[in-house]
Amino acid sequence: MKSTLLYLIITFLLSCTHDSYSDLVSGETTVNLRWNKAYNDDSIDKSLIGLKWALSYMGATLPTSNTGFNVTGNIITINIKYLGFSNEAQQKLLKLSEKIKQTEEYQTNQSIDLGRFVALLLGASEHYYNIIGTPDTLNAVLTQYTLLPQKGYVNNSSVSLEHRIIRFSEQNGFNQLFLSEEVDPVTGEIYEYETIELLPNGQLRFGIFDTNGNRKNSADALHSGAGKPAKCMWCHESGINQMFNPQNDYAGYLTYADFQSTLIGYRDTNRTQKLALTDGVDFAQTQQHTLTELLYISFMEPSAERLSLEWNMPLAQVQSLLSGLPTHVYAEFPFLGNLYHRSDVEALAPYQGLTVSTNIREYSPVEVNHLND
């Protein structure tokens, strides 16, 4: 009788331990994201698409089944284990989620604002680099590819304030490197390097490196308007860009016509390959990337109405708190209404969330790196 009772007690304890362990593992890999309506036509369905594009930019494969996502009310729960990230990327995301869950915001709402989450992914260069796996040095990138002898010369860039030398490797499925050197046209001095790599999920991986080949958070505005990786994403729209301005021909480089034809050929082949993917975002829906941009723009530059939802506070009370602060209209998306800057309103919030960089696309005076804390 005693042995039977002892067996039942041990079995019960082991069962409880197993269940608790399963719950812990499940809990550690999920994050609750809170959607707050930002404009008239906004919806949680649109925002879920925007979130999926944001995760895809970070390297997620995103299985076509909705494994990894659960929507309840205005909460999107993601499970980092099932989003198609590499093991290394998962570990970085889990570390970031730990920091998120320690904040007043998460402990108050049991969730993080969806826009803040996207801003922490795309708008913090070090988070982006670490999760997507951009190496620390240019040399570490170059050792993975063989650059072709042909190269292009750009003297009339729509991005750079300098001339650019563009080198590239052969395109082999989703494997290719483009290397841009920002060059002084008189001295030949190289001010900066920028890289674009094709990824297996159809997206591009961006890197910015200083004159010594060390990775940096943003391009130098004295020489380039490339900004941060998030600006590269916005400009390239997940594709290989052709040249938008005519260029002069230079000895030793492809002619403007030949270089343009080469870029268009790479772009079209890459586009065909992306459309054949069965997992991930729908590359046929070319404007869906805008839903990602709206997520971080409406967070970084919120309206009083959005803040009322975010802070769970009556609109009149929010307007009173914001009185005296300047407003503006976002030229690209005027339907967002009269907006404030996040840096102006953050201290007024009833609870504090994990800090974000002060600018998503351009050089940021405050550039956060919570993975290094």
Side-chain angles (χ1 to χ4, degrees):
M1 180 68 178
K2 289 183 178 179
S3 60
T4 302
L5 181 60
L6 180 61
Y7 172 80
L8 291 173
I9 292 172
I10 292 173
T11 301
F12 175 76
L13 290 174
L14 287 174
S15 175
C16 290
T17 302
H18 176 74
D19 290 343
S20 298
Y21 176 74
S22 297
D23 292 342
L24 179 62
V25 170
S26 175
E28 284 179 344
T29 60
T30 60
V31 185
N32 295 328
L33 313 176
R34 190 176 67 263
W35 170 71
N36 292 303
K37 187 172 182 177
Y39 52 95
N40 285 340
D41 293 333
D42 194 10
S43 70
I44 195 165
D45 291 335
K46 288 182 178 180
S47 295
L48 179 59
I49 293 171
L51 170 63
K52 289 180 177 180
W53 274 81
L55 295 169
S56 179
Y57 283 135
M58 304 299 295
T61 302
L62 296 177
T64 48
S65 66
N66 274 328
T67 304
F69 297 91
N70 182 64
V71 179
T72 304
N74 71 330
I75 300 296
I76 301 172
T77 300
I78 61 171
N79 192 322
I80 293 168
K81 283 177 60 178
Y82 301 113
L83 299 177
F85 282 107
S86 68
N87 288 334
E88 294 80 4
Q90 285 186 42
Q91 294 308 308
K92 300 294 184 181
L93 283 163
L94 288 172
K95 182 174 182 179
L96 184 61
S97 72
E98 288 176 8
K99 297 292 180 67
I100 289 170
K101 291 176 181 179
Q102 292 168 5
T103 63
E104 285 183 319
E105 177 190 19
Y106 203 93
Q107 292 175 12
T108 300
N109 299 315
Q110 292 303 298
S111 59
I112 178 177
D113 184 278
L114 175 56
R116 185 185 296 274
F117 183 72
V118 172
L120 285 166
L121 295 185
L122 304 185
S125 295
E126 288 302 316
H127 294 173
Y128 170 78
Y129 286 145
N130 277 277
I131 294 168
I132 204 168
T134 303
D136 292 336
T137 66
L138 178 63
N139 186 60
V141 176
L142 296 179
T143 55
Q144 302 175 53
Y145 303 90
T146 300
L147 295 173
L148 296 175
Q150 302 95 328
K151 50 190 175 182
Y153 196 96
V154 178
N155 71 291
N156 186 23
S157 173
S158 56
V159 176
S160 178
L161 304 178
E162 311 294 342
H163 288 196
R164 290 180 129 183
I165 296 173
I166 309 293
R167 303 189 65 189
F168 44 90
S169 66
E170 192 63 73
Q171 190 176 84
N172 180 19
F174 290 116
N175 183 275
Q176 189 173 26
L177 168 71
F178 292 89
L179 170 67
S180 172
E181 301 172 354
E182 309 292 317
V183 179
D184 186 300
V186 177
T187 66
E189 179 184 357
I190 298 175
Y191 295 116
E192 202 163 68
Y193 301 90
E194 294 160 14
T195 59
I196 297 175
E197 298 171 82
L198 306 187
L199 293 178
N201 72 343
Q203 293 289 10
L204 309 179
R205 182 169 76 179
F206 301 97
I208 306 168
F209 301 86
D210 66 20
T211 186
N212 295 315
N214 297 312
R215 196 180 69 196
K216 56 189 301 193
N217 290 329
S218 62
D220 188 337
L222 293 176
H223 305 295
S224 174
K228 295 168 61 173
K231 189 175 183 181
C232 301
M233 297 172 208
W234 166 74
C235 182
H236 279 268
E237 298 182 358
S238 304
I240 299 167
N241 282 349
Q242 66 185 65
M243 291 177 287
F244 299 108
N245 299 327
Q247 312 295 328
N248 294 337
D249 293 337
Y250 290 82
Y253 298 88
L254 292 170
T255 65
Y256 164 65
D258 286 344
F259 187 35
Q260 183 78 309
S261 177
T262 298
L263 291 174
I264 291 173
Y266 285 147
R267 180 199 67 189
D268 291 347
T269 300
N270 178 250
R271 180 181 293 162
T272 299
Q273 292 169 339
K274 287 188 298 187
L275 292 175
L277 292 174
T278 55
D279 286 335
V281 297
D282 185 355
F283 285 106
Q285 304 299 318
T286 55
Q287 288 305 306
Q288 284 188 348
H289 69 88
T290 303
L291 298 175
T292 299
E293 290 146 19
L294 285 168
L295 287 177
Y296 67 70
I297 290 168
S298 64
F299 172 78
M300 295 298 294
E301 302 178 44
S303 65
E305 290 78 8
R306 190 199 187 283
L307 288 172
S308 173
L309 295 171
E310 180 185 334
W311 293 348
N312 192 27
M313 190 180 293
L315 178 59
Q317 186 178 352
V318 171
Q319 290 171 328
S320 177
L321 284 172
L322 302 178
S323 63
L325 292 179
T327 62
H328 64 280
V329 174
Y330 199 93
E332 188 179 357
F333 303 116
F335 57 81
L336 292 176
N338 293 318
L339 308 177
Y340 299 85
H341 288 290
R342 176 61 55 173
S343 56
D344 290 338
V345 304
E346 192 79 322
L348 302 174
Y351 42 73
Q352 294 303 299
L354 199 61
T355 53
V356 297
S357 300
T358 46
N359 203 303
I360 301 295
R361 296 180 184 172
E362 306 291 352
Y363 163 80
S364 184
V366 175
E367 188 66 54
V368 300
N369 182 4
H370 299 294
L371 296 177
N372 233 12
D373 293 348

